[in-house]
Amino acid sequence: MFQYEKRLQYPVNIKNPNPKLAKIIITQYGGPDGELGASLRYLSQRFSMPHPELKGLLTDIGTEELGHLEMIGAIVYQLTRNLSIEEIKKAGFDDYFVDHTTGIYPQFASGVPWTAATIQSSGDLIADLHEDLAAEQKARKTYDNILRLVDDPDVKEPIKFLRAREVVHYQRFGEGLRIATDRLDAKNFYAFNPSFDKCK
């Protein structure tokens, strides 16, 4: 069960709408390395996680990612509010506008709709934790790229906060991977016993 606190994890108060920025930032809502995929990945993986503290880790981070999804939605909404048709055309926001007006829709910056094919939940704790480590680095990379393109401090500060949280999540998943590998049967884990082959 989740408890919802009715405030953003970090405040979003953007004074100047900018649909050009909205078009790139939307990728962290529903892009290949965005917050929607992150939350669903972790909240799905937790069901097959055999260790309670790692199940808790996936639940905690997956829930926080839902809060990040909410922040990105707020950023995109505030960047596109009260636009005139002239502003929409000038910014090249008309292709998005035709399909979604200024509603928030999960898609890549390139316009490709979000797909579950961008995430993995394998049921193998080592594979899943490596997936999670990689996912956090890819999200951090995307935030780095967004920060290279943003000059509005009202946008930059919440994006910097989100980037910092990806680094923290990466560190926590690294700790989780150490816990998982410490508990494996060394005779039955290829990293410790390269000669082990389940197919024989």
Side-chain angles (χ1 to χ4, degrees):
M1 174 183 272
F2 304 110
Q3 289 187 334
Y4 177 56
E5 192 172 333
K6 294 186 180 181
R7 67 178 178 84
L8 295 178
Q9 192 178 7
Y10 187 96
V12 176
N13 298 300
I14 298 169
K15 292 183 275 301
N16 301 309
N18 186 332
K20 282 187 177 179
L21 289 183
K23 279 187 74 171
I24 61 169
I25 293 171
I26 195 78
T27 204
Q28 279 303 87
Y29 192 82
D33 306 310
E35 305 294 356
L36 176 60
S39 61
L40 290 177
R41 176 188 300 109
Y42 307 145
L43 293 174
S44 297
Q45 289 175 355
R46 72 190 177 117
F47 290 105
S48 60
M49 183 55 68
H51 306 302
E53 63 270 47
L54 299 184
K55 189 183 297 262
L57 175 66
L58 288 163
T59 303
D60 290 348
I61 295 178
T63 304
E64 184 178 348
E65 301 290 14
L66 290 172
H68 295 173
L69 183 73
E70 185 180 32
M71 281 182 63
I72 292 294
I75 291 169
V76 172
Y77 173 74
Q78 290 181 28
L79 285 170
T80 60
R81 71 186 185 281
N82 302 323
L83 295 174
S84 70
I85 294 300
E86 290 72 29
E87 290 170 319
I88 289 167
K89 290 179 181 176
K90 185 177 177 184
F93 194 68
D94 43 349
D95 49 352
Y96 184 94
F97 182 83
V98 164
D99 291 333
H100 311 293
T101 319
T102 55
I104 308 303
Y105 178 76
Q107 70 175 43
F108 300 19
S110 62
V112 175
W114 183 81
T115 170
T118 61
I119 68 170
Q120 182 56 268
S121 179
S122 73
D124 181 288
L125 75 163
I126 300 300
D128 281 349
L129 288 167
H130 277 284
E131 163 88 3
D132 302 342
L133 286 161
E136 294 298 330
Q137 285 302 318
K138 289 186 281 186
R140 187 265 317 148
K141 171 268 306 172
T142 304
Y143 282 125
D144 283 346
N145 289 341
I146 289 169
L147 286 168
R148 290 181 178 104
L149 299 170
V150 170
D151 54 9
D152 183 343
D154 290 346
V155 180
K156 203 165 201 166
E157 291 309 308
I159 295 294
K160 283 165 60 178
F161 169 82
L162 290 165
R163 181 202 179 277
R165 294 306 299 162
E166 306 298 348
V167 173
V168 171
H169 294 169
Y170 177 80
Q171 293 166 338
R172 293 199 60 206
F173 282 130
E175 294 162 4
L177 182 61
R178 282 190 293 279
I179 291 168
T181 52
D182 286 348
R183 293 187 182 173
L184 287 170
D185 180 351
K187 291 182 279 188
N188 295 326
F189 182 44
Y190 73 92
F192 301 139
N193 184 1
S195 64
F196 177 73
D197 183 352
K198 282 188 173 181
C199 295
K200 290 182 180 177

